[in-house]
Amino acid sequence: MAISTGTSDGAIVRLVVDPATARLLDFEQQPGDRPGTPGAHAANLYVAFEHQGWVNTIGAVPTS
């Protein structure tokens, strides 16, 4: 499953989540392409995760 949002400068941010386990599989950021914005000359960013988990507090480390 993918969760996407757009920003005011046209960038797109997408999280890809496994619907069965709720594990984050991928983070994607596509820069905005509006002239005059910082994203006009930026590169795409793709990050794949080997291991992660959800926690309830900042700084906590997932146990599974």
Side-chain angles (χ1 to χ4, degrees):
M1 171 187 324
I3 304 162
S4 299
T5 189
T7 65
S8 60
D9 70 348
I12 298 171
V13 178
R14 178 176 297 127
L15 300 175
V16 180
V17 180
D18 181 339
T21 64
R23 288 187 180 219
L24 181 63
L25 302 176
D26 183 65
F27 169 82
E28 303 172 5
Q29 182 174 346
Q30 299 173 352
D33 58 359
R34 295 187 183 146
T37 64
H41 303 287
N44 291 349
L45 172 67
Y46 297 96
V47 179
F49 295 90
E50 183 176 332
H51 179 76
Q52 72 79 229
W54 299 103
V55 296
N56 292 324
T57 58
I58 294 175
V61 177
T63 57
S64 59

